[in-house]
């Protein structure tokens, strides 16, 4: 349950309630972005940024290269598909 | 070496392994025993087994698997309370998948679900909130657990529920805090840990400063570490270097994500919604002061403990379980009398067999095939 997965922010769905849409290897999911907003980062600044997603919340911003490497490793050890299954589960 | 080839950068990994070996030879302990490094976080335990790191490292180095798997330290009484909540006809009980299989004194949530109770696995507390919105005639309870990593998400979901006035949503709060837990490990009699791998994603939230006392008061090194094999190897190397130089510092290997001050935007909701409990009862470790949080008065309408009038009861583990000893690093998982016999990941007797982040389950699932590979 403590596995964080990098995903890319595609769209801000509801700036007021801090909800964005991310793409994780082709799966879309709404996540909460409150923990990555501060005076330097407003919701709109986050589009196309990569974030570490943990139980539906972006916990930090990661650089793209870092995100890709992590995804590759997760895929290699077969944990990416499990994570994606979990994420799909919630959006039902 | 098969496992090294899978690393992000095999050359780098081999180089670090070599240096670790040399350092291990150079470090002198006052007694004849291996150097013991505790990985506090279950995520690290999982990675260590997943990649067979314990098999790659010198014999003189020993990982002690710490209490950082939130599912593994859930006491049976908490599972029993979950069962009593979920038994209400008007309740939809939601939780993360791992928590479903933890045995209570009579049954697990999964057993109760099989009997027809409305228990649903969710990926996020926000999903639980959505279920509450869509089922206004039901009381929807989210079973919140985990260290500081998952606290902001639960806190923000409660704040959101208040904001949009969803008043059939409740949190059964069993979040735990890392600092008192590490302190309890350090204070436990017979403690022989030489250094700590600090939990990466907890540190992402709280920063590295809260660990300062480990160096200042207990003179032990801690390195906040990432989860990939190379992260772990590098962190082990950093700890060993400190040990060799007779130092005790808090260092940060996971700088790409962890700031010394943590993430203020994640810490704020935690202090908005939660307050410290006087104590929290851990499976295998007993009661640890200030090691858990509960919902504060401002949000008490969302507190399942209030709504369902839960009582604090203590239920001891079955006598044959030695989870406590394993958690404290006194016993290795396979040294437990029931390991792999009465207690397996399919039918777990103790909580450490439930989650893949638990020491016993990780050992059972990966330990054996790694031994096989080594023999080949
Ligand atoms: S084998 Fe089972 S009972 Fe023994 S310590 Fe591990 S989880 Fe606990």
């Amino acid at each position: 349950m403590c596995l964080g997965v990098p995903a890319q922010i595609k769209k801000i769905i509801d700036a007021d309630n801090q909800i964005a849409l991310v793409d994780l290897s082709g799966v879309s999911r709404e996540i909460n972005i409150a923990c990555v907003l501060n005076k330097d980062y407003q919701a709109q600044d986050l589009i196309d940024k990569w974030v570490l997603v943990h139980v539906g919340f972006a916990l930090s911003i990661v650089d793209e290269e870092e995100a890709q490497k992590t995804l590759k490793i997760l895929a290699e050890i077969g944990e990416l598909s499990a994570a994606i299954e979990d994420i799909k589960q919630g959006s039902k | 070496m098969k496992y090294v080839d899978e690393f992000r950068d095999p050359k780098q990994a081999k180089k670090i392994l070599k240096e670790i070996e040399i350092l291990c030879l150079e470090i002198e302990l006052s007694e004849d025993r291996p150097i013991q490094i505790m990985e506090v976080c279950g995520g690290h335990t999982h990675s260590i087994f997943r990649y067979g790191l314990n098999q790659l490292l010198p014999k003189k180095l020993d990982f002690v698997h710490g209490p950082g798997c939130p599912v593994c330290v859930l006491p049976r009484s908490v599972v029993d309370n979950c069962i009593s909540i979920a038994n209400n006809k008007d309740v939809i009980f939601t939780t993360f998948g791992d928590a479903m299989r933890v045995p209570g004194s009579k049954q697990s949530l999964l057993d109760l679900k099989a009997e027809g109770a409305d228990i649903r696995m969710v990926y996020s507390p926000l999903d639980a909130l959505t279920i509450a919105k869509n089922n206004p005639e039901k009381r929807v309870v989210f079973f919140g657990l985990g260290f500081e990593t998952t606290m902001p998400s639960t806190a923000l979901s409660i704040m959101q529920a208040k904001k949009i006035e969803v008043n059939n949503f409740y949190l059964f709060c069993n979040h735990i805090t890392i600092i008192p837990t590490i302190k309890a490990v350090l204070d436990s009699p017979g403690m022989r840990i030489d250094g700590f791998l600090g939990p990466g994603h907890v540190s992402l939230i709280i920063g590295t400063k809260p660990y300062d006392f480990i160096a200042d008061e207990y003179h032990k090194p801690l390195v906040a570490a990432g989860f990939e094999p190379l992260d772990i190897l590098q962190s082990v190397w950093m700890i060993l270097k400190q040990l060799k130089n007779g130092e005790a510092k808090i260092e940060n290997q996971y700088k790409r994500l962890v700031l010394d001050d943590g993430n203020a935007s994640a810490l704020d909701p935690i202090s908005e919604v939660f307050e410290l409990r006087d104590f929290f009862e851990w499976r295998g470790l007993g009661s640890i002061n200030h090691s858990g949080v509960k919902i504060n008065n401002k949000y008490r309408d969302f507190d399942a403990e209030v709504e369902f009038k839960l009582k604090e009861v203590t239920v001891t583990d079955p006598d044959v379980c030695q989870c406590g000893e394993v958690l404290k690093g006194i016993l290795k998982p396979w040294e437990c009398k029931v390991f792999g016999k009465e207690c397996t990941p399919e039918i777990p007797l103790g909580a450490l067999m439930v989650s893949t982040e638990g020491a016993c389950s990780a050992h059972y699932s990966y330990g054996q095939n790694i031994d096989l590979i080594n023999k080949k």
Side-chain angles (χ1 to χ4, degrees), chain B residues 106-313:
Chain B
K106 291 196 185 65
Q107 53 184 177
S108 68
L109 284 163
L110 204 59
D111 298 332
L112 187 66
K113 184 179 164 71
E115 288 173 11
D118 196 346
I119 299 173
R120 305 184 191 180
M121 201 173 112
V122 289
Y123 161 68
S124 164
L126 285 178
D127 299 332
L129 183 57
T130 306
I131 294 175
K133 269 191 281 187
N134 296 342
N135 296 276
E137 73 298 344
K138 296 274 190 178
R139 290 186 288 177
V140 175
V141 180
F142 176 70
F143 179 37
L145 73 167
F147 283 96
E148 280 86 345
T149 324
T150 43
M151 272 187 213
S153 52
T154 321
L156 284 162
S157 301
I158 294 292
M159 287 162 68
Q160 181 70 4
K162 191 172 169 117
K163 182 174 166 193
I164 59 175
E165 296 176 4
V166 176
N167 45 29
N168 61 329
F169 182 61
Y170 304 92
L171 169 67
F172 183 28
C173 180
N174 282 274
H175 283 295
I176 43 186
T177 57
I178 198 81
I179 296 298
T181 310
I182 297 182
K183 199 167 179 312
V185 169
L186 282 163
D187 286 335
S188 66
M191 202 283 307
R192 289 185 317 195
I193 289 154
D194 299 298
F196 292 91
L197 274 184
H201 291 157
V202 170
S203 308
L204 167 74
I205 308 291
I206 66 170
T208 56
K209 286 188 181 152
Y211 303 125
D212 282 349
F213 77 98
I214 301 171
D216 297 344
E217 291 167 35
Y218 293 86
H219 312 290
K220 306 277 179 197
L222 177 143
V223 176
F227 294 89
E228 289 163 21
L230 209 49
D231 290 327
I232 295 179
L233 288 183
Q234 196 177 12
S235 306
V236 166
W237 172 76
M238 288 165 80
I239 294 172
L240 293 176
K241 262 188 91 137
Q242 288 197 38
L243 290 176
K244 188 197 156 212
N245 297 334
E247 294 171 321
K249 292 185 294 193
I250 306 306
E251 292 186 291
N252 183 1
Q253 180 275 335
Y254 206 23
K255 284 212 171 87
R256 58 185 194 270
L257 285 185
V258 173
L259 302 174
D260 288 346
D261 287 320
N263 178 352
S265 307
L267 287 168
D268 289 347
I270 296 181
S271 45
E272 166 72 15
V273 175
F274 298 126
E275 65 183 32
L276 278 181
R277 289 179 195 271
D278 292 338
F279 59 86
F280 189 81
E281 187 78 30
W282 293 61
R283 187 186 288 245
L285 295 179
S287 171
I288 303 178
N289 287 347
H290 306 301
S291 63
V293 297
K294 61 179 178 186
I295 295 187
N296 64 24
N297 248 331
K298 188 167 165 195
Y299 291 88
R300 86 191 292 269
D301 289 349
F302 299 93
D303 191 348
E305 282 172 57
V306 177
E307 174 70 16
F308 295 90
K309 303 186 180 60
L310 298 179
K311 282 191 276 309
E312 300 223 5
V313 277

Side-chain angles (χ1 to χ4, degrees), chain B residues 83-103:
Chain B
I83 301 266
S84 80
I85 296 173
N87 254 326
N88 287 291
K89 287 278 165 288
D90 66 334
V91 163
I92 302 176
F93 195 88
T94 62
T95 184
F96 298 134
D98 274 354
M100 306 262 285
R101 297 173 52 232
V102 184

Side-chain angles (χ1 to χ4, degrees), chain B residues 320-323 326 333 336-340 343 349-353 360:
Chain B
V320 287
C321 279
Q322 293 181 291
C323 300
V326 174
C336 171
K337 288 187 286 287
V338 291
F339 177 86
C343 187
L349 202 62
L352 298 179
M353 256 316 170
C360 292

